[in-house]
Amino acid sequence: MSLFTIAVHGGAGTIRKEDMSPEMEIAYKQGLQHALEVGYAVLSAKGSAVDAVQAAVVSLEDNILFNAGRGSVFGKDGKHEMDAAIMDGSNLAAGAVAAVTSVRNPVKLARAIMAESPHVMLSGAGALEFAKLKGLVLEDESYFYSPFRFRQWQQIKGTDETALDHDVKLTDHAAGKAAAEKKFGTVGAVATDMNGNIAAATSTGGMTNKQWGRIGDSPIIGAGTYANNQTCAISCTGHGEPFIRAVTAYDVSCLMEYKGLTLEQAMQLVVHDKLLKIDGEGGMIGVDAQGNASMVFNSEGMYRGVKNSKGLNNVLIYREA
Ligand code: ASP
């Protein structure tokens, strides 16, 4: 039996201790811990990595604190369009959904596309139609409403500005200033199961006030999400456009495959060098088939956690060891 591991993230960005109330810090940490627990429970019951990452992401999608599923941000038209992907490193099977509305758990839709369709990616109305066909739970607009995110949207509504989750501080707006703070609230999970199979999943509401139809890196296989037993499973969070241009998750895999770098080395190079050169702010979590995990970011903080069968259990927010 190999070491089994789950890691999760709840977004990266300008996350500072001084801006966070103790209650919010506890709530975020509880949300991450819960996601770790549900994913770990799947792994310890001999479940697959792909089932574990799905379970962890569903728990984060159901948590209004995170920008995915229920807590998804408002787009330019006041709607919530969501992106998600899942990939199984044992066979390179992948499923993804882009710009879908109403679906309670977009990661489940991505899984259904992977398992029950001949396609890898569905978008918009067609994706919603497929969700209905598969009997997935749909919600009306009120389910996705949160006063906090509505206020975020109000601040830049009617402009061409887009903001990554929590991008505009209410005080900045009151003072008529542009956004100074950036946070990316996408969620993701990566896991190694007892059989040494790995998987990754990512889910997001994207960017506040985004153009309808805008698709970020999260659902793009190789950009925001990738898994291959030979190398790594990666889930990214950050400013989607540079992450797409850098083919970020697959680049980590390539550095391991072609250059023989370790997971940690490859992630460090991509996050702190390659992404930074194109203003790609954010981070990623990764595992390999041996159960090693890394969590690397170039922003001030990243909501993140890791748990493994050797007893490691860490939930972190800021730049801390
Ligand atoms: N990467 C996501 C996107 O650009 C945003 C995030 O990570 O919060 O859609």
Side-chain angles (χ1 to χ4, degrees):
M1 185 179 80
S2 44
L3 175 67
F4 56 93
T5 305
I6 176 126
V8 298
H9 71 74
T14 312
I15 306 165
R16 297 192 199 98
K17 199 170 177 62
E18 56 268 33
D19 297 331
M20 180 88 73
S21 70
E23 294 77 23
M24 286 307 282
E25 191 173 306
I26 289 168
Y28 275 110
K29 284 191 167 177
Q30 280 174 344
L32 293 166
Q33 187 66 49
H34 184 258
L36 285 177
E37 299 299 341
V38 297
Y40 191 81
V42 171
L43 297 175
S44 53
K46 302 197 171 91
S48 67
V50 76
D51 283 341
V53 294
Q54 178 176 323
V57 167
V58 164
S59 115
L60 293 164
E61 285 178 339
D62 289 344
N63 186 331
I64 200 147
L65 287 179
F66 299 101
N67 171 21
R70 185 165 183 215
S72 291
V73 295
F74 286 82
K76 202 163 193 163
D77 54 358
K79 299 255 162 59
H80 306 273
E81 286 187 354
M82 299 169 285
D83 299 335
I86 192 163
M87 186 159 184
D88 182 344
S90 69
N91 56 8
L92 303 185
V97 58
V100 75
T101 56
S102 312
V103 175
R104 183 187 178 108
N105 292 113
V107 74
K108 287 189 183 172
L109 178 54
R111 179 75 181 269
I113 292 165
M114 173 170 96
E116 298 169 49
S117 89
H119 308 299
V120 168
M121 185 185 251
L122 294 179
S123 70
L128 181 56
E129 211 43 52
F130 187 74
K132 288 180 187 161
L133 204 69
K134 294 296 159 190
L136 293 183
V137 177
L138 304 182
E139 301 286 354
D140 60 26
E141 279 296 310
S142 63
Y143 174 80
F144 300 98
Y145 178 85
S146 69
F148 168 66
R149 292 228 157 69
F150 186 73
R151 283 202 305 277
Q152 286 181 333
W153 176 52
Q154 291 300 306
Q155 292 175 55
I156 52 174
K157 184 181 161 187
T159 72
D160 283 334
E161 206 182 318
T162 54
L164 287 134
D165 189 27
H166 314 298
D167 208 358
V168 188
K169 274 186 179 174
L170 294 175
T171 47
D172 289 340
H173 178 65
K177 288 182 192 153
E181 186 189 31
K182 291 194 183 116
K183 288 180 189 167
F184 313 85
T186 290
V187 308
V190 290
T192 314
D193 65 26
M194 280 183 194
N195 298 316
N197 291 319
I198 61 177
T202 312
S203 182
T204 187
M207 295 164 65
T208 299
N209 208 38
K210 67 186 179 184
Q211 165 70 41
W212 58 267
R214 178 264 184 188
I215 295 165
D217 60 312
S218 311
I220 298 179
I221 299 303
T225 308
Y226 188 70
N228 181 343
N229 274 9
Q230 304 311 315
T231 53
C232 58
I234 300 287
S235 172
C236 299
T237 175
H239 191 170
E241 280 73 6
F243 277 65
I244 294 171
R245 287 157 49 217
V247 201
T248 306
Y250 186 61
D251 198 21
V252 174
S253 174
C254 288
L255 286 164
M256 294 175 73
E257 185 176 354
Y258 304 143
K259 270 196 144 182
L261 299 195
T262 64
L263 174 71
E264 174 74 19
Q265 289 168 337
M267 285 171 62
Q268 291 285 348
L269 182 63
V270 169
V271 172
H272 290 298
D273 184 47
K274 293 183 154 205
L275 275 171
L276 275 185
K277 282 180 180 148
I278 55 167
D279 290 329
E281 186 188 352
M284 60 172 72
I285 54 173
V287 291
D288 63 20
Q290 287 69 50
N292 298 307
S294 290
M295 307 188 286
V296 179
F297 53 98
N298 60 31
S299 45
E300 284 197 50
M302 180 166 81
Y303 296 105
R304 63 201 188 278
V306 59
K307 187 174 175 71
N308 73 16
S309 53
K310 272 193 195 154
L312 174 72
N313 188 94
N314 254 340
V315 172
L316 301 163
I317 299 179
Y318 317 105
R319 289 205 165 278
E320 53 205 311

